[in-house]
């Protein structure tokens, strides 16, 4: 029989950290902690392979129940208790756990094993009948919700009130009779809704709970979470069965969640919350307000010291900031879970730098493990600017759960947030897994309940969205679509501004300011750049873009789109005159007037970039972008040109294209109007020569766009070379330059060997290459792409992350053939995929010399490059 379960606890622990794919992150970490001697309640993990088998076949795997019984025997031996027994009954918890953490995706069942008989035995063993019946009530409601899909409202309505524990003692509110009546009411509600009695057989409870965990892998909320986070390739979720320990056994008991360092700022020290005399789900559910972890030092000082010791051991062992769940049962600490903690970008960088300085990790380990590319992206989040004029007090204050600023209209439902085309702030009393879609679409999140480890806080931090949690001063009325702070009432659709860094909310729109970077950021990025020789360049078209790119660490410009230089009013008039000109002489007159503008553009960009490489793409607009938009502009142009209306209309009609993105653009424009290529080349070269005269060496890289054949490339290269030689003769000096092409037409990829023989470099324009390979218009995919993703026709939007199977195959062909024809051919990418971490991994694997992306993605790309090279 194949091995289906893996035990942990005691000397017979069978798993370890390397087995995450098989045991899930939670199961692997439980096994690893058991191996190093931490106080982990014993248990076993049902592997993810069984989830995959159950999901595919819909049948409970043969032989699994026998192995589960062996796992229960393992727990029984280590706890001196018996599952389902009338004396010393063993109670267990059932939790899910995939290889990648998915907060809030799948719920927990506690106190499993209780029934009408064992609850009496448990009451006798603990000496606390109210406590035993409260545990039984919790089991019925959790089982009903997680396994049978019943709403908590059915159990926690007016007829069945949840029973609250007294924080300072072991007693429950209400006498035994009331608690027994509460349990009977829950059982009756269960029976009425399910049309069967709550199962009394503990083995049936366990099997059905495990099946529910497996089924939860494919619930809509789980699939949505994986889609949003691009999680793929996993077998499923594991099931973790673990001996119960109880944080609700009196004033010396408690439960909590803590981070080894502050996940918002990165400061070293315990950060989290706890509840005395409570079970772990109480914190998540928001039934009681948790206390700051520092207060545990006063309430249970010995347990606090033990927790500090365990946390230090976990950080040292896992070499990462940890997110820890713990329970204290009558003064004894138990660690229920640890995982690498989710953190903000600011915290991630500080933690990485601090851990290197503390000697816990090397620089290379910090780059590889402690900061994710999206962390750096969140550092680029803006903040609310200080309000000018009279002081505007906040509408509400809460916890600074996830930094950054957002301005949007108030919406109270996840559905409305998901469907809205405007910027919205999702406002909820508290969020749950059902809100994932709305949270992903919202600009920011505001909740009136919940702490720093609430669902809203964890998910928002993971996605880099601003979040203010636990704003207890506001009252939210979903039915009326209102929220109030007692003085001011806001309606759905009103504008608010939230600051997740300071935990404040303002009525109305506030101005947003740009972020700045800490010394830790610059230190970390130095380590990043030491790790890789692959360069990260910028897509920059103006001196301002170039300056921003250099501030973000760009190693040059990989794409300067010259068509973006012609949209000023004076320039576009000249371009329009050139387009409408019917003679080379007239076109030259217009281009002579454009030349000074173009040359000045390059001079300013060269000045900013110094001696760093600059790749300039020759004019590549669909011509329709330059044509006058409305009748008034057309008449003005007609008068400027001195044309009569019939002649003007005839030319205008001839310039209209049915499919302009595949029409008269790119090298086709340069071939039919070579004067454009000559003017741009002259501007590029004169600017470079004048910088050389000033003592700065500039080596321009001229890129011919939209080439589909070697003949097209040769035609344009001849114009470039001829013009360069003429300019060199006029100046009496030369500069080195290169002429290459953008590979964005599938035919160019197929014939790359021919083109490479006369090209100095290839730069992949993956935006157009994707568009032409799929036959998708990237401007029109919104009508069907969400359906494609939801149905699994595509795993992700190919315009956001490279389609490695199709577009990647063309790139592979072009790289292999290009370098076969020219061994030292320089290869880069300048489509926006050059800033996508997943796509970058592919480019690095193919030996690219550089990637180029928009300025704000440069830090992300630098880290992604370093991690891809290191892997």
């Amino acid at each position: 029989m194949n091995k289906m379960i893996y035990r942990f606890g005691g000397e017979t622990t069978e798993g370890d950290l390397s087995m995450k794919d098989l045991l899930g992150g939670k199961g692997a970490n439980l096994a690893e902690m058991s191996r190093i001697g931490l106080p982990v309640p014993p248990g076993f993990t049902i592997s993810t392979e069984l989830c995959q088998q159950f999901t595919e076949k819909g049948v409970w795997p043969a032989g699994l129940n026998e192995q589960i019984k062996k796992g229960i025997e393992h727990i029984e031996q280590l706890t001196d208790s018996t599952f389902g027994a009338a004396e010393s009954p063993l109670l267990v918890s059932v939790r899910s756990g995939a290889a990648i953490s998915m907060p809030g995706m799948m719920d927990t069942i506690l106190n499993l094993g209780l029934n009408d008989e064992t609850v009496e035995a448990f009451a006798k063993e603990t000496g606390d009948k109210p406590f035993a019946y409260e545990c039984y009530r919790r089991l019925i409601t959790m089982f009903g919700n997680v396994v049978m899909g019943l709403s908590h409202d059915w159990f926690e309505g007016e007829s069945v009130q949840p029973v609250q524990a007294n924080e300072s003692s072991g007693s429950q509110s209400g006498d035994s009779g009331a608690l027994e009546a509460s349990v009977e009411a829950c059982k009756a509600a269960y029976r009425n809704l399910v049309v069967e009695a709550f199962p009394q057989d503990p083995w049936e409870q366990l099997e059905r709970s495990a099946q529910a965990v497996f089924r939860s892998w494919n619930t809509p909320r789980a699939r949505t979470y994986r889609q949003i986070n691009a999680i793929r390739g996993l077998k499923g979720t594991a099931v973790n069965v673990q001996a119960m320990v109880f944080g609700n056994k009196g004033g010396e008991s408690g439960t909590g969640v803590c981070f080894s360092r502050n996940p918002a700022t990165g400061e070293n020290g315990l950060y989290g919350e706890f509840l005395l005399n409570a079970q772990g789900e109480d914190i998540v559910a928001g039934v009681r307000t948790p206390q700051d972890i520092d207060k545990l030092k006063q309430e249970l000082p010995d347990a606090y010291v033990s927790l500090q010791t365990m946390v230090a051991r976990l950080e040292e062992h896992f070499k990462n900031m940890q997110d820890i769940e713990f329970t204290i049962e009558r003064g004894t600490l138990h660690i229920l879970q640890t995982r690498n903690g989710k953190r903000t970008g600011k915290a991630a960088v500080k933690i990485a730098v601090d851990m290197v300085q503390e000697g816990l990790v090397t620089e290379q380990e910090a780059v590889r493990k402690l900061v994710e590319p999206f962390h750096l992206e969140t550092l680029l989040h803006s903040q609310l600017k200080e309000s000018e004029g009279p002081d505007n007090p906040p509408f509400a204050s809460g916890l600074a759960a996830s930094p950054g600023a957002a301005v949007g209209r108030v919406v109270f439902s996840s559905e409305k947030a998901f469907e809205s085309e405007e910027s919205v702030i999702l406002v909820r009393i508290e969020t749950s897994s059902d809100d994932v879609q709305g949270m992903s679409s919202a600009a920011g999140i505001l909740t009136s309940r919940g702490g720093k480890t609430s669902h809203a806080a964890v998910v928002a931090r993971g996605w880099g969205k601003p979040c203010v949690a636990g704003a207890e001063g506001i009252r939210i009325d979903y039915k009326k679509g209102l929220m109030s702070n007692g003085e001011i009432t806001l309606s759905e659709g009103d504008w608010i501004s939230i600051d997740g860094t300071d935990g404040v909310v303002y009525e109305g729109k506030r101005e947003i300011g740009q972020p700045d970077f800490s010394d830790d950021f610059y230190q970390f990025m130095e380590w990043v750049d030491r790790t890789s020789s692959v360069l990260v360049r910028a897509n920059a078209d103006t001196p301002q873009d170039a300056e921003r790119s250099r501030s973000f660490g760009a190693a040059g410009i990989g794409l300067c789109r010259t068509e973006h230089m012609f949209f000023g009013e004076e320039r576009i008039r000249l371009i329009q005159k050139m387009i409408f000109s019917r003679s080379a002489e007239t076109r030259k007159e217009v281009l002579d007037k454009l030349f000074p503008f173009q040359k000045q553009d390059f001079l300013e960009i060269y000045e900013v970039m110094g001696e760093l490489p600059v790749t300039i793409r020759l004019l590549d607009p669909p011509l329709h972008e330059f044509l006058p938009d409305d009748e008034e502009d057309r008449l003005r142009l007609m008068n400027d040109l001195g044309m009569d209306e019939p002649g003007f209309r005839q030319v205008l009609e001839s310039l209209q294209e049915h499919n302009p993105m595949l029409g008269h653009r790119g090298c086709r424009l340069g071939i039919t109007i070579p004067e454009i290529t000559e003017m741009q080349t002259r501007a590029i070269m004169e600017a470079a020569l004048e910088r050389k005269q000033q003592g700065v060496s500039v080596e321009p890289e001229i890129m011919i766009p939209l080439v589909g054949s070697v003949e097209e490339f040769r035609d344009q290269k001849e114009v470039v070379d001829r013009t360069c030689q003429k300019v060199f003769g006029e100046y009496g000096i030369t500069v080195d330059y290169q002429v290459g092409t953008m590979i964005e037409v599938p035919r160019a990829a197929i014939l790359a060997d021919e083109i490479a023989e006369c090209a100095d470099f290839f730069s992949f324009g993956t935006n157009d290459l994707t568009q032409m390979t799929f036959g998708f218009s990237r401007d029109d995919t919104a009508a069907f792409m969400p359906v494609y993703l939801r149905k699994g026709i595509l795993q992700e939007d190919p315009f956001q992350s490279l389609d490695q199977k199709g577009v990647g195959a063309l790139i592979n062909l072009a790289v292999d053939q290009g370098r076969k024809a020219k061994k030292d051919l320089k290869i880069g990418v300048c489509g926006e995929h050059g800033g996508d971490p997943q796509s970058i991994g592919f480019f690095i694997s193919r030996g690219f010399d550089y990637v180029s992306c928009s300025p704000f993605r440069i830090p992300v790309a630098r880290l992604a490059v370093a991690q891809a090279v290191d892997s």
Side-chain angles (χ1 to χ4, degrees):
M1 186 184 299
N2 293 332
K3 190 168 183 59
M4 301 178 181
I5 71 158
Y6 294 79
R7 299 172 293 179
F8 57 85
E11 297 180 359
T12 55
T13 295
E14 296 173 314
D16 59 42
L17 189 60
S18 68
M19 300 169 68
K20 279 190 176 183
D21 287 345
L22 186 65
L23 304 181
K26 190 173 298 182
N29 286 344
L30 286 168
E32 188 75 10
M33 288 192 292
S34 297
R35 284 186 177 277
I36 64 175
L38 267 62
V40 175
F44 62 91
T45 300
I46 305 174
S47 77
T48 58
E49 291 179 341
L50 276 296
C51 179
Q52 184 178 41
Q53 185 177 336
F54 180 77
T55 301
E56 291 174 353
K57 298 181 179 179
V59 178
W60 193 241
L64 179 55
N65 283 337
E66 288 76 5
Q67 293 202 21
I68 288 175
K69 288 180 180 179
K70 294 291 184 183
I72 290 292
E73 289 174 5
H74 164 72
I75 303 175
E76 290 173 339
Q77 292 170 3
L78 293 175
T79 59
D80 197 24
S81 56
T82 305
F83 194 56
E87 291 186 12
S88 298
L90 168 67
L91 305 184
V92 298
S93 64
V94 176
R95 291 180 171 90
S96 64
I100 298 174
S101 175
M102 301 181 195
M105 285 295 98
M106 292 162 264
D107 298 320
T108 298
I109 302 173
L110 302 177
N111 311 324
L112 195 145
L114 284 174
N115 57 25
D116 292 349
E117 182 179 11
T118 57
V119 69
E120 292 293 337
F122 189 52
K124 182 179 179 181
E125 181 187 13
T126 60
D128 192 339
K129 193 169 186 177
F131 167 72
Y133 272 88
E134 169 61 5
C135 289
Y136 193 15
R137 185 197 69 81
R138 287 174 183 255
L139 170 62
I140 297 167
T141 59
M142 287 181 172
F143 189 92
N145 175 250
V146 177
V147 178
M148 307 308 298
L150 305 178
S151 169
H152 282 297
D153 295 340
W154 289 104
F155 296 104
E156 298 187 354
E158 295 180 2
S159 60
V160 185
Q161 294 296 327
V163 182
Q164 298 295 330
N166 184 297
E167 291 193 16
S168 60
S169 71
S171 65
Q172 308 292 326
S173 60
D175 57 25
S176 296
L179 284 159
E180 289 182 58
S182 179
V183 167
E184 290 303 317
C186 284
K187 287 165 61 180
Y190 182 97
R191 184 171 52 251
N192 290 335
L193 294 166
V194 181
V195 197
E196 65 178 41
F198 176 76
Q200 294 292 301
D201 181 359
W203 292 101
E204 181 184 353
Q205 294 175 10
L206 181 54
E207 179 178 333
R208 291 174 70 176
S209 297
Q211 289 180 3
V213 172
F214 285 162
R215 283 196 300 271
S216 71
W217 178 252
N218 271 331
T219 59
R221 71 183 189 184
R223 290 199 302 269
T224 296
Y225 190 92
R226 293 198 295 274
Q227 179 181 315
I228 291 170
N229 289 276
I231 298 171
R232 62 185 65 82
L234 301 184
K235 297 175 182 176
T237 179
V239 180
N240 297 289
V241 180
Q242 192 171 18
M244 282 294 304
V245 287
F246 297 92
N248 54 342
K249 280 192 174 181
E252 292 188 350
S253 301
T255 187
V257 178
C258 74
F259 294 85
S260 57
R261 300 177 191 237
N262 187 314
T265 67
E267 292 181 16
N268 193 352
L270 293 185
Y271 174 97
E273 300 161 328
F274 77 101
L275 282 170
L276 285 177
N277 201 15
Q279 287 194 313
E281 296 306 299
D282 294 340
I283 290 183
V284 177
V287 175
R288 287 160 52 193
T289 303
Q291 299 183 69
D292 191 277
I293 196 71
D294 284 344
K295 291 188 178 180
L296 184 62
K297 190 188 309 182
Q298 303 166 11
E299 300 285 353
L300 299 172
D302 291 343
Y304 183 82
V305 171
S306 295
L307 180 62
Q308 282 187 310
T309 302
M310 293 301 103
V311 167
R313 287 187 63 188
L314 286 168
E315 268 207 352
E316 184 176 2
H317 183 78
F318 287 96
K319 296 184 180 298
N320 208 325
M321 185 263 273
Q322 294 298 292
D323 174 1
I324 301 148
E325 295 180 15
F326 65 90
T327 289
I328 302 165
E329 182 177 330
R330 291 177 175 168
T332 301
L333 175 69
H334 301 272
I335 305 296
L336 303 184
Q337 176 179 319
T338 195
R339 59 190 173 197
N340 294 338
K342 294 185 181 298
R343 65 209 78 174
T344 65
K346 176 182 178 181
V349 171
K350 178 171 175 53
I351 289 167
V353 172
D354 286 353
M355 282 191 162
V356 170
Q357 294 173 348
E358 293 162 16
L360 289 174
V361 298
T362 64
E363 293 176 6
Q364 191 174 19
E365 287 173 329
V367 170
R368 188 176 70 249
K369 294 177 59 178
L370 298 185
V371 181
E372 297 295 330
F374 77 87
H375 284 137
L376 299 187
E377 196 164 12
T378 65
L379 285 179
L380 305 176
H381 287 321
S382 49
Q383 304 296 325
L384 294 182
K385 284 187 176 181
E386 291 294 328
S387 179
E388 297 181 2
D391 215 13
N392 182 19
F395 171 78
S397 298
L399 298 171
S402 184
V407 177
R409 293 186 183 274
V410 172
V411 294
F412 293 111
S413 77
S414 176
E415 291 77 12
K416 287 183 179 178
F418 183 68
E419 293 168 359
S420 176
E421 295 182 358
E422 290 189 279
S423 176
V424 297
I425 307 296
L426 178 62
V427 180
R428 302 287 291 167
I429 295 171
E430 58 192 348
T431 65
S432 69
S433 303
D434 294 329
D435 294 313
V436 166
Q437 279 189 319
M439 295 171 76
S440 73
S441 302
I445 300 157
L446 167 64
T447 67
S448 61
R449 284 189 200 161
K452 292 174 283 191
T453 55
S454 66
H455 178 269
V458 170
V459 174
R461 280 199 300 268
W463 283 342
K465 290 181 179 288
C467 174
V468 176
E472 296 179 348
I474 61 174
R475 294 292 176 266
I476 298 170
D477 188 326
Y478 292 146
K479 290 184 179 179
K480 294 181 179 179
L482 302 172
M483 69 172 174
S484 174
N485 62 3
E487 297 180 1
I488 300 171
T489 298
L490 298 178
S491 303
E492 191 163 55
D494 287 343
W495 288 91
I496 61 172
S497 305
I498 69 170
D499 186 339
T501 304
D502 295 328
V504 291
V505 182
Y506 294 95
E507 180 186 3
K509 294 182 179 181
R510 291 283 295 269
E511 193 175 352
I512 292 179
Q514 296 300 320
D516 55 10
F517 300 106
S518 66
D519 291 341
D520 286 336
F521 171 82
Y522 291 110
Q523 175 64 79
F524 179 76
M525 295 310 294
E526 279 186 29
W527 299 338
V528 166
D529 292 337
R530 289 178 197 168
T531 307
S532 171
S533 60
V534 177
L535 302 177
V536 177
R537 299 192 191 182
N539 296 345
D541 314 318
T542 66
Q544 294 74 25
D545 284 345
E547 286 181 5
R548 187 178 295 115
S549 301
R550 291 211 67 174
S551 72
F552 288 148
I557 291 178
L559 175 62
C560 177
R561 293 157 288 204
T562 55
E563 62 273 11
H564 290 183
M565 298 173 172
F566 293 112
F567 284 105
E569 183 175 352
E570 185 177 359
R571 299 187 188 200
I572 200 163
R573 292 291 177 213
L574 290 170
I575 282 284
Q576 289 172 343
K577 287 182 180 180
M578 182 197 71
I579 294 171
F580 275 79
S581 297
R582 299 293 89 186
S583 70
E585 183 180 351
T586 307
R587 284 197 297 267
K588 187 176 184 309
E589 289 177 4
V590 176
L591 288 169
D592 285 344
K593 293 178 181 179
L594 277 171
F595 172 77
F597 294 114
Q598 185 83 110
K599 179 178 173 180
Q600 186 62 32
D601 291 331
F602 296 133
L603 277 170
E604 291 178 5
I605 288 174
Y606 291 156
E607 185 174 357
V608 172
M609 299 308 294
E611 296 188 355
L612 295 178
V614 176
T615 302
I616 300 164
R617 184 176 71 186
L618 299 181
L619 197 63
D620 181 28
L623 282 185
H624 77 283
E625 292 185 5
F626 289 140
L627 295 179
D629 292 327
D630 55 41
E631 189 62 24
E632 185 179 344
D633 285 340
R634 294 189 188 107
L635 290 174
R636 184 185 299 115
L637 178 61
M638 182 181 71
N639 292 330
D640 287 347
L641 293 171
M643 297 179 68
D644 58 35
E645 186 167 349
F648 178 81
R649 299 292 179 187
Q650 183 179 3
V651 175
L652 182 64
E653 185 176 345
S654 72
L655 292 170
Q656 300 295 329
E657 296 181 287
H658 294 291
N659 194 341
M661 291 304 293
L662 298 178
H664 196 182
R665 55 171 289 210
C667 65
R668 303 156 197 168
L669 191 61
I671 290 169
T672 57
I673 311 176
E675 297 91 345
I676 296 176
T677 304
E678 291 173 358
M679 183 275 286
Q680 290 195 297
T681 302
R682 174 173 285 276
I684 291 167
M685 284 304 165
E686 286 196 12
L689 291 170
E690 290 178 17
R691 288 296 289 161
K692 183 173 183 178
Q693 290 172 336
Q694 296 166 5
V696 181
S697 176
V698 177
E699 297 181 9
E701 300 173 354
I702 300 175
M703 184 156 62
I704 312 297
L706 217 68
V707 163
S709 70
V710 68
E711 290 79 11
E712 287 176 316
F713 182 79
R714 284 174 178 157
D715 179 281
Q716 288 296 279
K717 186 175 185 299
E718 188 278 328
V719 176
V720 170
D721 288 339
R722 172 167 39 83
T723 304
C724 287
Q725 294 307 313
K726 186 175 182 181
V727 174
F728 293 162
E730 293 170 358
Y731 274 74
I733 55 174
T734 65
V735 294
D736 292 332
Y737 69 95
Q738 296 181 356
V739 183
T741 188
M742 180 182 280
I743 303 290
E744 50 192 327
V745 176
R747 191 173 191 273
I750 295 169
L751 302 176
D753 54 342
E754 294 182 9
I755 298 171
E757 289 179 358
C758 48
D760 296 315
F761 64 87
F762 283 173
S763 181
F764 286 92
T766 51
N767 299 342
D768 268 348
L769 187 59
T770 298
Q771 187 167 235
M772 295 189 191
T773 301
F774 274 96
F776 291 165
S777 165
R778 66 176 179 265
D779 299 317
D780 300 313
T781 58
F784 60 86
M785 189 59 68
V787 179
Y788 270 47
L789 297 174
R790 186 172 65 250
K791 288 188 172 184
I793 293 171
L794 291 174
Q795 294 302 309
E796 56 201 331
D797 187 337
F799 293 105
Q800 295 182 14
S801 192
L802 186 78
D803 163 46
Q804 296 185 21
K805 189 174 182 180
V807 179
L810 287 171
I811 292 174
N812 282 330
L813 178 64
V815 170
D816 290 342
Q817 290 206 99
R819 285 195 166 143
K820 184 177 180 181
K822 182 173 289 184
K823 186 176 181 181
D824 59 348
L825 182 71
K826 182 164 60 178
I827 294 178
V829 59
C830 58
E832 274 305 298
H833 296 95
D836 171 59
Q838 184 175 324
S839 305
I840 285 172
F842 172 80
F843 300 134
I844 298 303
S845 72
R846 295 302 297 131
F848 277 44
D849 297 293
Y850 68 88
V851 299
S852 188
C853 58
S854 59
F856 280 102
R857 303 190 81 180
I858 289 169
V860 175
R862 288 163 66 192
L863 179 57
V865 164
Q867 292 179 339
V869 169
D870 190 56
S871 64

